[in-house]
Amino acid sequence: MKNTKVLINKLSFLNDIIVKYDIKSTNISPRKYSQFIHLFSSLKDFRIKKKCSYKLENLMLIIFLAKMAEEGDSCTSIARYAYLKKDELFSYGILEKNEDGEIMIPSHDCFRYFLMNFDSNELKEAFINRIVKFMNN
């Protein structure tokens, strides 16, 4: 149940971004958004689980959204985007609160480490496969 709510929040946030930036989304159903979001959840997580504060799919989604908003030219700008949009990202379940009740925001070092070690070929394959499914359904 909780995973469904988180997914719906992410889909709603993506939809809000698409509307905000006037991206043509004619005939794209919420089911198709779901297929796109699941692209990030299918990727292999190379990180040590005990040391992870952020979900891989959430980091990828923040990077993706920052790029869509033309704020993702560097790891610093992606972190700044996350900071500026922290309340909105939290409301959609993309960012979480720590034990003190503060919204946790990934640092530029977190994005840098992630992007330096992430297998871009895996993303490319997953993205191509997801787009093919997206267009065929």
Side-chain angles (χ1 to χ4, degrees):
M1 180 74 172
K2 183 179 178 185
N3 289 340
T4 303
K5 183 178 178 184
V6 169
L7 177 61
I8 290 169
N9 285 338
K10 289 177 185 179
L11 297 175
S12 297
F13 185 69
L14 182 59
N15 185 60
D16 290 349
I17 293 293
I18 288 171
V19 170
K20 180 178 179 179
Y21 291 99
D22 196 28
I23 297 169
K24 303 301 179 202
S25 59
T26 318
N27 299 324
I28 299 177
S29 68
R31 185 172 143 267
K32 291 194 182 249
Y33 287 143
S34 174
Q35 291 173 353
F36 183 75
I37 292 297
H38 282 297
L39 163 72
F40 300 133
S41 62
S42 68
L43 301 172
K44 181 181 171 190
D45 197 344
F46 63 89
R47 304 170 300 159
I48 301 168
K49 291 190 185 236
K50 292 180 183 179
K51 296 185 177 186
C52 295
S53 299
Y54 309 99
K55 294 178 185 174
L56 177 133
E57 64 184 41
N58 289 349
L59 291 174
M60 288 298 300
L61 187 56
I62 293 168
I63 293 165
F64 175 76
L65 294 171
K67 286 301 291 178
M68 281 183 63
E70 298 180 3
E71 300 283 334
D73 295 337
S74 68
C75 295
T76 305
S77 63
I78 294 168
R80 183 175 42 247
Y81 172 84
Y83 175 78
L84 294 173
K85 300 288 185 179
K86 68 182 176 191
D87 293 326
E88 196 171 356
L89 293 169
F90 172 76
S91 73
Y92 286 104
I94 299 167
L95 293 178
E96 298 174 2
K97 289 188 177 182
N98 62 17
E99 292 132 11
D100 297 329
E102 297 174 353
I103 297 173
M104 299 187 308
I105 304 162
S107 69
H108 67 285
D109 285 333
C110 177
F111 287 112
R112 183 181 58 79
Y113 172 79
F114 176 75
L115 291 170
M116 286 178 63
N117 293 289
F118 184 73
D119 183 1
S120 60
N121 289 326
E122 183 184 356
L123 176 63
K124 179 181 172 183
E125 284 181 34
F127 188 74
I128 290 169
N129 291 336
R130 186 63 64 188
I131 293 299
V132 168
K133 284 182 184 178
F134 186 80
M135 298 303 286
N136 289 333
N137 287 335

